[in-house]
Each structure stands twice: as C-alpha cells, then as structure tokens.
Amino acid sequence: MSEPQITPDLVAAHGLKPDEYQRILQIIGREPTFTELGIFSAMWNEHCSYKSSKIHLRKLPTTGPQVICGPGENAGVVDIGDGDAVIFKMESHNHPSYIEPHQGAATGVGGILRDVFTMGARPIAAMNALSFGLPSHPKTAHLVKGVVEGVGGYGNAFGVPTVGGEVRFHKSYNGNCLVNAFAAGLARTNAIFYSAASGVGMPVVYLGAKTGRDGVGGATMASAEFDETIEEKRPTVQVGDPFTEKCLLEACLELMASGAVISIQDMGAAGLTCSAVEMGDKGGLGIRLQLDDVPQRETNMTAYEMMLSESQERMLMVLKPEMEAEARAIFRKWDLDFAIVGETIPEDRFLILHGNEVKADLPLSKLASSAPEYDRPWVETPPAPALVPVPEIGLLDGLQALIGSPNHAHKGWVYEQYDAQVGADTLVTPGLPAGVVRVHGTGKALAFTSDVTPRYVRANPVQGGRQAVAEAYRNLTAVGALPLATTDNLNFGNPEKPEIMGQFVGALKGIGEACIALDMPIVSGNVSLYNETDGQPILPTPTIGAVGLLKSLDELIAGKPETGDLAVLVGATKGHLGQSALLAEAFGIESGDAPPVDLAAERRNGEFIRANRKALRACTDLGDGGLALAAFELAEAAGLGVWIDANDIPFLFGEDQARYLVAVAQADLAGLQAAAKAAGVPLALVGQFGGETVTLGSESAPMAELSKLYRSAFAAALGV
Amino acid sequence: MKAAVITFPGSNCDRDLVVAFEGAGFQVTRIWHKDAELPEGVDVVGVPGGFSYGDYLRCGAIAAKSPIGGAIVKHAQRGGYVLGICNGFQVITEMGLLPGVLMRNATLRFVCRTVTLNVVTTDSAYTSTFVKGQQIRIPVAHHDGNYTIDADGLKRLQDEDRIALTYADNPNGSMADIAGILSENRRVFGLMPHPERAAEALHGSVDGAALFAGLMGGMALA
C-alpha cells in the first residue's frame, strides 16, 4: 500500500510547526516516511513531550527522604514504612471528555489505573477532580451525566474505591471541561517495576487487549485548541473496557510475582510508539518491532495506524526469555493476548517492520531526548485590582447562597454513583475532608485529597498555587494524617499566549514554595495546556492531589460533633473576602486578591491539630465559604444544629488560610487552650454544636430546612 | 465449617468476601471459575460481587454458564448453602437457584450508599442472629439491583416467608422493597447489599458480621 506524500499541509495536520519539521529533517537527514511523521508527531506533541512546560517543571521540589521515585516514571513512589509503598499520580483527560463525556472520562480513569499497576501496585483508591461550565449552559448537564457515568462505570467495574474529588462549575469551562483522574496503589518497596529495558535480544511482549483504529492521533488532538469543528474529532476518542483492565491488572500482578518481567510500560497516549520509545530510551537500547505480530482487532491496519492507535487496556513488556512459557500461561488463564512483537537491539534504532517493509527506522534516543523544548515568553500576572465594595447581605442569606449553589451543595448525586467501598478497607464516614483507606491487612491507613481554587489562581497565581497545596495539607491534617507527597495536574490555556504562560509560571512558583515548606514533594504529575475554546481560556486550574499517612488507625480524627460540643476556630481570622465563594455565589462578583498564604502558619497550625488529635471530637479545614460553610457542613453531617457567635460577614465568610474548625468536648477546652498558647496558635471559641437550628449571630433557621436545600440544590441546578 | 469463594473474571469483591468468611471463623478456599468441581466437604459457596464477565450480555448471565456453575447448582441441589452477594445474587438467579431477576435500577444510575434494611424473617441461618423486624445497616453498590418477579412468584415468596431483607428506603425500585431472598430450603440466599462491607468498626456498621456469624452458628445446628 502506498503511503501519502509528505507535504506542508500533512505536516501541519500532524500538529508539527515548520521549524519542528526542520528539526526532524536535521535529525534523520532525509524526508520521513508517513509512519515516521506520525511517530514524531506522537512523541513531540505537547501532551507527550511537555515541550512548553519542561523548563519550569524542573524547578519543582521532587525529592525527600520519603520519596522512592519522583516524576519521570509512570507514577510517583513514596515510602510509607514497613516495606510498603504508595504509588500515585493524577492525569487529565479533558479534551476527550468534552468530545465524548462517558468514554473520555472512563478511559481517563483506565489510563491512570494502568499507570499505577504498571509499577506493580494494586490500586486502592481513586479520586476525580471535575470542572464544568455553568449549569445553565446547554452542554453542561449532558457532560456532567456522561462524565460521572464514565468515571463510575470504569472505576466501579474495575474494583477501585473512589474516595474523593471535586466538582466545580464556572463559565470559563463552558467550552472545555476538565476531567482530572487520580489513582493510588500499594506495592512492596522491593517489588516495584520500572520502564527501563535492559539486556540485548530480550523479547518485547505485547499484553492485553487487541489493537484497533480507535484513538489514532488522540494525543495530538489533546494538544490542540478547540473550535467548532471539534465534534468531527469524536473518532479520536478511545473506548474503555474496565472488564479487560481488571483482568489485565490481575494478570500483570501475577506475572510480576512470577519474576518474568524485566521492565513494563502501559500503552497510554500514542500507544505503542510512546511505550516502546520510553522503554528503549530509559534503558539506552534500541527496539525492533514486527507489526505483523501485533494482535489486531481490525483488518488491513497500516503501520501508521498501529503505531498511533490508542486502543485501551494494553501493556508492553520486556520479558526474561527463559520465563516465556510461564508468562504465556498466566495470560491464557485470564484470556488476554500475549504476543512477542519484537526485541531489544544494541544500536540506537527504532526499527518498525511490517510485512517485508521497513516502515520506520529512526534514532530512538533522539525521539525522546531531542523533542523541542520551549522557553515560551511569559508576563507576570499583574496585581489583582482592589476588592469592589461588598454588597449588603444577611448572614443566613449568605449561607443559603452557598449551600444552594451547585458548587457548594452536597454532591451526593455524584458520589453515590461511585463505589466508595469495594476492597472493604474504606473508612466509611461521610463528610470527612479527605478519603481514608486502610492499608490492607495492617493498622495503617492512607488519606487522599484533591484541591485547587481556580479563582484564586487567576487573581494571583503565586498565592493561588500555594493555596492549592496548603488546602491539600489541611484536608489531610484534618483527618489526622501526616501529609507525605503530592501529584499535580496542571490545567491551563494556550501556552503560546504570554499571559497564560505567566499564570503557569506563577502557579508553579507558588506550588513549589508550598511543597517545600510543607514537606510534600511532587512525585508525579501531568500538564494539560491549550484548554481554550475559540480563544477563551479556562480559569488556571493546577489541581493538587495529595496523600497522607496514618501510622495507626488511632491517629484518625473521624468523629462527629456531639450535642454540647464547643465550636473552636484554630488559626487567625482577618476576614479576607477577595475572590471569596460568598461574593461569587451570592453576587456573581469575582474581585480582589486571593487570600495570602502564610506557609509557616500552615505548618504550625497543622502540627498543632495532629499533636492534639485526642482532644478533637471532629475536625474540618476552612476553605472557600469560610467559617459559616465549614460549621454548617460539620453540623449537617452529624445531624445536629450549630450556633456561631458572630455577626459580621467577613468573620463568617472570609477565606483566610491556615484555619480549622474543631468540635471539642467542654471538658477538653482548657487543655486545648493551654496547648495552643504554648504552640503560639491562635484559638477562638466561636460557638457550640447541638439543637436543631443553625444560628449565625442573631439569625436562625431550622437545620432540617437548610439541609434539604443543601441536599437538593445540585440536582435541581442541573435538572438531573 | 468450610467456605468456597468463587472468582470469575471481573469479580472484585472476592477478596472482601474471603476476609468476611474468615472473620466469622470459616476455613476458606478460593475457586477459579474454570474449575468444574468444588473441593470435597465445602459447606457454603460464596458467589461474590463485582462485574463478572464485565456484565456483558446481562448481569450474571455468562458467569452462570461458566464451568464452575454446574458444580454450584449440584451443591445447592444436594442441600448445600450458597450465598450470592450483589453480582453473586445476579449470578445465582441466572443459574435458577432463586426466582426472579435483577433489573436496572429505577433511577438508571449506579447507587452506592449505606442503607437501612428490615429483617423480615429470622428463619434462616443467615438471619438467625437478628430479631424479626430489626433494622440493620449495610451498604449497597450496584447498577442492577431492581428485583423483579411476576405476581404469582412474589406471592409465593411472601407466603413461604422467603423474603429475608427489605429496604427501609428503596434505592433501586425493587419490587416489594426486596433486598434479599431465600430458596425454598432456606439455604440459598441472594442479596444486593454487601454484608462483607459491614463487618468491622471501620465500616461504620458490624451488622454484616452478624450475618456471617449467624451463618456459622446456624449451619452448625442444621
């Protein structure tokens, strides 16, 4: 079959800029074949190469005594003691989910799960951070339904509990929703699998599902801005099969336990191309693939299609040749494909054969290491204009504006569609600030959270970046966990615009500072750029996923307030209303600066909470919505009323950082006050739990009424 | 007492069921679906939750025809105990060990939540530690738990006191709020809720552990 001529239009259609094409010509000294052009396009798109972000990502803190493996592998690996490790990562599937919400979200979950079990870990927890356009936008309800169904459909069938996440709505996501999927797994520290191939002449084995034409060119699509033609891209979205993935998980873990695996890599974006290059490059070897041996689900597939297919539930492995029969038997047991498709070779070549033709013959190391790298021009985000005068509003009206908004209403409609308990290790206490999952068969547990407040990041990227990490730190702390490490999923607009690049650079600076100050190094992550539609960027959304450790279940703070317990505010309150949820939800005002983040205070107050956990019946961190929303949520989950003795809007709804609201038995107050004084932590008695009403200052309303609003507002806003 | 827990491709609550059986003192063997025989001396077969064969075709339909299926049916015919949870309930219904069918939830959505159940009968080993009319808390997590049966079949279940558990607040549209039913000899039990997820304090309820303990005690007496 003859291949298309390489023309400037064809090069452009592959997302390669003219100067990038010139670089290809320089590297190989001749015109590439069609298949080679596809391979370069797959390796050099933004999604796979991080070409716009790499020079800034290098500045992030990625090391620490707890870190076993930082960014660069499929997922980050962190030591949790006793020979156990937690392996985790967060990754976006934004563009596919906008085009085909169910399958886009499902394959996002599938991809991140594979990243984790490729390294030898059994997934034990998943989270999802979802950002949608306004509920009133004609596409939003359809996207929410499809994405939630896709996330649940995949995770539930695969058998991983979904224990946390976020759902937000903002007009900037009208044409570009965000689906950020997190997964964490457990492995023994002496049984972690990496992608670097080793040894010459070792068989390269294809595992899992067959290859079809789905997703050809997906990574390139995911690296482009959207416009009205996007519906035509639907065929580039892959279709997920959680059943095959579950079988693949079990087969891979059995295979790894057998000792047959030299290295293994999942086929994600740019499928066979990316995985083979990765294994060869990391091992300093070449790879030869014979495509006739690739298990195929469609007929007459070309080399180009096989190299760029993003069919799901596939893995590539370098096998110990003497273990072939044993390895094959494991895959036969699980009714999965197992095919030797090539071998490692000593020279630096990526050699692709199909029939008796050479379809590609490229210097392998250059594919990975010579990808373009841009120091894109950027401008610092100017200081946010001063906060506009805050309109008058009643205290309870303010609270109702929050709990009646889909952003802050109870998200049961979403979370009940996710299996949160499969594995029977999930701590079942609704309303906790972080998901908690026991390390199976031990008394240890891990806590998981994902956070970012995009309004803050837009107003002030540095403070917003710090805040995202600080809030993750607080959420983990509020369940009693010691924050360990972080994964970042950086969603931004078009990096070719200096002001967008400025947001990116600023946010990374803030994230880096906070990760150092709070000892939560970044161990994995993902960058998603070009989140724009018709030139309109999303709010900058650097989602922070974080993991904390509870060395013993005794360290948990998971109680509920009881009648008569005191409401005690930990941390200093100044009443910062800039970019607050109250202004956004009650008045549609997004004005002023983001709240400043004092990292030393965050750490001090967090350590205070963990050190005094025995005196705390219940604990929650204060995020957007401030004291009023936190008090309401804590009381509502306990089925109690609450009284907060404060009459002013800034105190009740301000979003000052480094704060927690705790429920304390009256007998424990004096001791807690003394401990706070000794630690230099501001502590204020602000009210009491109990009764059946919510009282803010001099205003009261029945909890039952507010709870009804809180629990119905999400579905009502979306009409679902 | 000896329990066997079946693993089909796509089962994902098999380990959890093993843990729960062991917690109640059972000696547990894990059985691969391609095996055609159960080990000698198995007292109870546990058919776990999950998505056997991806729920393709119809929930439980393919698993019901897998090699181990015939052995489970024979075990039940010999008077052996069979416990089918969630997807396991769907599977043993497809095998014909229990009447009726589990349809898609009335909301058309997956539902995961801890629900309150009414204990309707204590006349089975599984429910022997409860009191008739007692309310217990056990989680559900399913997309197809809407129990459906014809009018005669329902009347028979009621007349024969074979409805073991009903939902206090029906999460799936199930007929007569049915959450779990017994076979004629009261030894085959299918239920949508997951008792293995309510087996220790961490789970927020230990009512499921009471079910496994009841089974252990009730079988010993039988």
Side-chain angles (χ1 to χ4, degrees), chain A residues 95-109:
Chain A
H95 287 179
S97 300
Y98 187 78
I99 299 169
E100 211 303 291
H102 184 117
Q103 291 300 339
T107 52
V109 174

Side-chain angles (χ1 to χ4, degrees), chain A residues 241 333 416 419 423-424 438, chain B residues 16 34 56 112-113 200 203:
Chain A
D241 177 5
K333 171 185 166 190
E416 288 195 349
D419 188 338
R438 174 177 52 195
Chain B
D16 309 349
K34 287 180 186 172
Y56 296 138
C112 173
R113 99 175 46 131
E200 51 179 314
H203 295 146

Side-chain angles (χ1 to χ4, degrees), chain A residues 174-247:
Chain A
N174 278 351
N176 195 131
C177 63
L178 302 184
V179 173
N180 293 177
F182 169 99
L186 282 175
R188 297 293 291 169
T189 52
N190 59 4
I192 292 165
F193 289 80
Y194 297 98
S195 54
S198 70
V200 170
M202 297 295 157
V204 173
V205 184
Y206 173 114
L207 306 170
K210 294 184 199 305
T211 295
R213 291 190 170 89
D214 45 333
V216 172
T220 306
M221 172 274 290
S223 304
E225 247 186 78
F226 272 8
D227 55 30
E228 72 283 356
T229 64
I230 193 61
E231 295 291 337
E232 296 166 16
K233 306 257 188 193
R234 196 186 299 265
T236 60
V237 179
Q238 320 84 322
V239 177
D241 177 5
F243 169 63
T244 301
E245 179 119 322
K246 166 71 172 162
C247 295

